[in-house]
């Protein structure tokens, strides 16, 4: 693809230009899509702060505690491609409604769960619902909003939810756990889900495309992604030479190889390989992998730092993330306007550089670092950089895609972010633990023991070692953002997002 301006097609839909009722319709549609995306993303983090309360109440073992978080990521990341293809075949609004309904029901079951097995089962079901709803949410933007300013704004809001949702999850998780009960981190989804379902009539359904579900592709692709995410997650917990970890990676390699072989030869594939012929689109997927790897690990380590080292309560930890939400929302709004004036790499590249600077700022944390002078500005800078990156990557993933492939194209973007998040957390946890244990063997265990016995000398020594481990993880996260910057510079060569109503799509390739 040349670095020329891209002309994207405006899909058939209601003519809303100049109509106040049309404007209200689009605003409501945007609220519905944003609320759904917020609900799906915040559930990846909302349970984190509630984990100690869940463990105490249900008697969850240490080994199974992590799976209350990981089971959601596993189902979500593994089924996204299937959800995207189902939306393309059976109707995106329909699959959005089904996914939201499944997610809402699973939230009710999770809140009522009497034991860890049923809670983990409810989390898996939430992941299934999210995998059906998320790809269709992004695809529905292209069918509901006319090309140009309104669609770019909608893309900006959608992209902002990717970062804001994670911090809102931490804030809500802390507040609900402290003031009510851990079960409310699930119950809170019910009114949101019902409101989204009620508002789906404002969304414009694209024409359904003929074809049938690629069953062999669905089995090999979904199975391969689940095996990959499971292997990454288990490797972070039990080591990369663990037998089950190695078997999972081997199964993932076999299944995904078979999946790609089938996709190249199937008439109606689940993941058309033609999507990857576009350099900008492939670059967007690769960059989102690195963004997910750095961003989700950042939340994990910062939450531990604030609670274990600084002694913050769950609710205070949640509120401490507000600068991240503000920075992400502000930058996403700015970048959604800039995409019509600048090439995507000229927005995302500097954004990733700023995010890397924020990570290096976190890498200078000490056990007694100040929130206002250190944590707060570093959060805001990191969020600004990531917010500038999300919108160009989101647009790059779906620009120039034929209508029949929009669901799969958006599913691939979400899949890249989820797999990046799982891989980044596993790798950075290993780096953090190794660096901390180099300063003090079993540093994390020593810190917990010192806190339990009020051994302040041990707490100080272990806290210093654990903080050192976190800072090394932040350095690695900065390197991941720089890797994303390099991919952006080399692969993403689209021009500014110019839209001509009714024009034929110019496929970038």
């Amino acid at each position: 693809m040349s670095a020329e301006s891209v002309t994207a097609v405006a899909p058939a839909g209601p003519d809303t230009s100049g109509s106040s009722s049309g404007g209200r319709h689009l605003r409501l549609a945007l609220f519905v899509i944003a609320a759904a995306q917020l609900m799906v993303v915040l559930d990846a983090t909302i349970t984190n702060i509630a984990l100690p309360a869940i463990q105490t109440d249900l008697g969850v073992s240490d080994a199974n505690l992590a799976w209350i978080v990981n089971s959601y990521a596993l189902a979500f990341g593994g089924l996204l491609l299937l959800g995207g293809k189902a939306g393309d075949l059976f109707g995106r609004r329909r699959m959005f409604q089904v996914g939201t309904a499944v997610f809402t029901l699973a939230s009710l079951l999770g809140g009522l769960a009497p034991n860890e097995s049923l809670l983990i089962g409810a989390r898996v079901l939430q992941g299934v619902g999210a995998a059906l709803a998320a790809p269709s949410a992004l695809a529905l933007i292209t069918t509901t909003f006319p090309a140009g300013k309104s669609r770019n704004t909608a893309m900006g809001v959608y992209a902002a939810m990717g970062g804001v949702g994670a911090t809102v999850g931490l804030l809500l998780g802390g507040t609900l756990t402290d003031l009510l009960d851990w079960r409310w981190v699930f119950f809170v989804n019910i009114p949101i889900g019902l409101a989204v379902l009620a508002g789906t009539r404002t969304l414009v359904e694209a024409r359904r495309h003929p074809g049938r579900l690629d069953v062999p592709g669905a089995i090999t692709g979904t199975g391969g992604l689940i095996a990959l995410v499971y292997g990454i997650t288990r490797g972070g917990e039990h080591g990369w030479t663990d037998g089950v970890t190695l078997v999972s990676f081997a199964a993932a390699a076999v299944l995904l190889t078979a999946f790609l072989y089938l996709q190249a030869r199937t008439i109606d594939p689940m993941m058309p390989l033609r999507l990857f012929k576009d350099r900008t689109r492939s670059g967007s997927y690769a960059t989102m992998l690195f963004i997910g790897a750095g961003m989700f690990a950042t939340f994990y380590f910062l939450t531990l730092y604030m609670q274990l080292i600084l002694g913050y309560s769950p609710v205070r930890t949640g509120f401490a993330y507000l600068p991240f939400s503000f920075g992400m929302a502000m930058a996403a709004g700015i970048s959604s306007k800039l995409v019509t004036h600048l090439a995507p790499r000229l927005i995302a590249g500097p954004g990733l550089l700023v995010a890397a600077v924020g990570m290096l700022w976190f890498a200078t944390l000490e056990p007694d670092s100040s929130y206002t002078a250190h944590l707060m500005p570093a959060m805001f800078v990191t969020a600004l950089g990531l917010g500038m990156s999300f919108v160009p990557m989101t647009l790059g993933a779906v620009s120039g895609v034929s209508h029949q492939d929009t669901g799969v194209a958006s599913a691939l973007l979400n899949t890249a972010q989820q797999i990046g998040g799982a891989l980044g957390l596993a790798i950075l946890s290993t780096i953090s633990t190794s660096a901390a244990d180099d300063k003090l063997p079993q540093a994390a265990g020593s810190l917990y023991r010192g806190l339990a016995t009020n051994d302040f000398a041990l707490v100080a020594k272990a806290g210093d070692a654990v903080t050192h481990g976190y800072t090394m993880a932040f350095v690695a996260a900065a390197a991941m953002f720089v890797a994303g910057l390099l991919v952006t510079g080399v692969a993403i060569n689209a021009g500014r997002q110019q839209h001509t109503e009714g024009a034929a799509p110019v496929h970038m390739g």
Side-chain angles (χ1 to χ4, degrees), residues 157-178:
V157 172
Y158 177 90
M161 290 302 105
V164 171
T167 54
V168 169
L170 294 167
L171 175 60
L172 267 180
T175 304
L176 293 172
T177 303
D178 269 7

Side-chain angles (χ1 to χ4, degrees), residues 47 107 110-111 119 123 126 182-190:
T47 53
S107 297
L119 179 59
R123 290 288 282 166
Q126 278 187 313
W182 66 264
R183 295 181 184 276
W184 281 93
V185 304
F186 297 99
F187 290 148
V188 73
N189 291 321
I190 297 171

Side-chain angles (χ1 to χ4, degrees), residues 4 27 33 54 103 137 152 160 182 194 251-252 279 292 342-343 388 473:
E4 297 171 10
R27 284 193 293 272
I33 292 173
I54 294 172
F103 189 93
N152 289 341
W182 66 264
L194 292 175
R279 280 179 57 184
L342 296 172
M388 295 299 288

